[in-house]
Amino acid sequence: MALDRQLLQSIINEFTVDAEQLREIAANFRQDLKLGLNDPKESSLRMLKSYVGLPTGKETGEYLALDLGGTNVRVSRIKLEGAGRFEVTKKVGKPLILPGEYDYVGVGSTAEEMFDFLAELIDEAVDKDHETKFYLGHTFSFPSSQTNLYNAKLIIWTKEFATSGVEGHIVNDLLKEALERRGLINVEPISVINDTVAVLLSAAYQHADTYIGSIYATGQNNCYLESSINDPENVGVGGMILNLESGNFMKLTPNRFDKEYDENSEKPGEQRLEKMVSGRYLGELFGMALAELFDEAGEKYDFTAIDISSILMDESVDGDRISAIIKDRINKDVDSEDAKKIRELATAIVVRSARIVTAAFVGIIWQRAGSGKINKQHIAVDGSVYEKMPLVKENINKALSELLGEEAAKVDTMLDTGGSGLGAAISAAMAARHND
Ligand code: BGC
């Protein structure tokens, strides 16, 4: 069966953010930043205080870094050597779900099980040393309200996490209890930061002119350095980093696929931007649209962001790779013409994602510049969608130019791989004030 070209085009139109809409999203994002700075209740951005500014680059010492935020947990030992230099001396990691064996994030999983699993991994990272004192920095990539660098309470799970007993709790207290249960009282958690904050700390430790940190992966979110906030609890320089939780930005126009997905998601009404752009959701949106093209609307097609990436990578005339993926996932035969159409659909979904993410970047750049000129700057980004998804980087650059014109030359995005771990270590050094 040949896929209907007209229907495809109308679906592609629904996934298109044109120049005018792009500008409107950026302007609305900036407006929400302004409102949120005044009073976060007025804004769809959470504007969460992180109680940390930029590092000086002189942070030193060896720290444990725990990175919890996506499908894999990682624990590293990182030696900061100052002057932007560091060495990762140990790294261990495990998935949070191993089908058929365990699942620490699904419905029915508990805080105790999840944090005991983390403590076990930390034990492996310290080589079962229960004597030497270790300070631990924790990158916890979910919306948390903080009163200082230690005290972070999970507001709400995102990315379809459903572990009970964590929402409303101080995450490092849960971790401490699990460490005690395991006899690891020599490990002391001293900081919690969001992964966007970690990326910004990591990038700023190594490069000047970086004020925005972003994750573009399973989830999507941005933070930036707000120079107007002074707080006695804040450590670091230049002001305080605010975790925007921009995945929760609401001033967008979701299409009918976005709406339907949201209604059936773990947290309807939440994270509307994230559900339109991040890796956790791209495959599902694609699957919903494709089902409609195959005249099977409502049928659940299981595609992942990795499938989309493979589909986009096949630029061949006959589209063999695409046909093979479709055959494997939904057992349909498609010819080269249909494979081309399927690639067009995947393209539309990915390009929309990159344009919305860029509009948020520009909203922050405008807000930081105020009525003045835009500074030369890097936006530090980490995450598999940014790093690996075809079309993303070029569409970010294109949208930056559309929105900033000539001034786009002053702005670039910079990959900061591993920032979640390094940033956690830097935050621990800053909390311990080992930065002179
Ligand atoms: C979370 C953010 C996080 C982002 C990227 C979102 O779902 O709410 O806190 O920064 O994912 O990991």
Side-chain angles (χ1 to χ4, degrees), residues 156-173:
I156 183 171
W157 279 130
T158 56
K159 296 175 273 205
E160 311 302 301
F161 274 48
T163 318
S164 65
V166 191
E167 284 173 329
H169 291 263
I170 313 267
V171 285
N172 264 359
D173 285 353

Side-chain angles (χ1 to χ4, degrees), residues 141-143 158-159 194-196 215 219-221 245 271 274:
S141 315
F142 300 93
T158 56
K159 296 175 273 205
N194 186 257
D195 50 357
T196 55
I215 297 286
Q220 205 283 315
N221 185 16
E245 287 298 328
Q271 302 293 105
E274 184 164 77

Side-chain angles (χ1 to χ4, degrees), residues 114-339:
M114 175 187 250
F115 283 85
D116 279 346
F117 180 69
L118 300 181
E120 190 186 322
L121 209 60
I122 292 170
D123 211 0
E124 200 182 321
V126 298
D127 299 315
K128 305 220 169 341
D129 174 352
H130 290 199
E131 301 292 326
T132 314
K133 174 88 186 174
F134 290 100
Y135 287 118
L136 179 143
H138 182 178
T139 295
F140 181 72
S141 315
F142 300 93
S144 307
S145 71
Q146 302 199 209
T147 53
N148 56 41
L149 198 46
Y150 171 88
N151 200 305
K153 192 191 281 181
L154 174 62
I155 300 171
I156 183 171
W157 279 130
T158 56
K159 296 175 273 205
E160 311 302 301
F161 274 48
T163 318
S164 65
V166 191
E167 284 173 329
H169 291 263
I170 313 267
V171 285
N172 264 359
D173 285 353
L174 297 174
L175 180 62
K176 261 191 177 164
E177 288 160 18
L179 290 168
E180 277 164 23
R181 285 196 290 274
R182 216 180 157 85
L184 274 167
I185 43 173
N186 54 322
V187 174
E188 187 182 341
I190 52 170
S191 60
V192 184
I193 51 173
N194 186 257
D195 50 357
T196 55
V197 177
V199 165
L200 179 51
L201 293 183
S202 153
Y205 187 66
Q206 303 168 78
H207 308 273
D209 303 328
T210 317
Y211 316 102
I212 299 175
S214 178
I215 297 286
Y216 194 177
T218 309
Q220 205 283 315
N221 185 16
N222 305 316
C223 73
Y224 79 99
L225 181 73
E226 174 54 55
S227 49
S228 71
I229 301 181
N230 295 308
D231 188 294
E233 291 286 341
N234 195 52
V235 296
V237 297
M240 190 188 285
I241 301 173
L242 294 178
N243 164 17
L244 299 179
E245 287 298 328
S246 34
N248 200 41
F249 181 64
M250 298 290 181
K251 295 178 179 161
L252 293 162
T253 317
N255 67 27
R256 64 202 163 86
F257 300 103
D258 301 315
K259 287 185 193 146
E260 192 186 323
Y261 184 86
D262 176 61
E263 279 158 20
N264 297 310
S265 67
E266 197 58 56
K267 295 264 159 55
E270 302 286 338
Q271 302 293 105
R272 297 308 296 269
L273 179 144
E274 184 164 77
K275 287 172 185 160
M276 293 164 78
V277 307
S278 83
R280 175 65 183 75
Y281 304 101
L282 292 177
E284 267 138 330
L285 289 175
F286 171 78
M288 290 167 77
L290 193 63
E292 194 163 311
L293 280 173
F294 276 113
D295 209 10
E296 291 186 342
E299 206 49 46
K300 193 166 168 358
Y301 286 179
D302 272 330
F303 286 94
T304 63
I306 297 176
D307 295 329
I308 298 203
S309 176
S310 312
I311 288 170
L312 293 177
M313 269 183 228
D314 182 354
E315 292 180 297
S316 67
V317 180
D318 46 15
D320 280 351
R321 179 90 194 95
I322 298 173
S323 308
I325 293 170
I326 301 299
K327 181 76 186 165
D328 182 70
R329 302 295 185 277
I330 56 171
N331 198 22
K332 306 253 185 239
D333 294 303
V334 293
D335 62 14
S336 59
E337 272 310 300
D338 280 350

Side-chain angles (χ1 to χ4, degrees), residues 380-402:
V381 194
D382 193 11
S384 46
V385 179
Y386 176 72
E387 190 179 354
K388 298 189 185 134
M389 183 68 82
L391 304 176
V392 162
K393 288 197 199 72
E394 64 194 80
N395 278 286
I396 289 180
N397 289 337
K398 192 168 159 274
L400 280 173
S401 294
E402 263 177 72

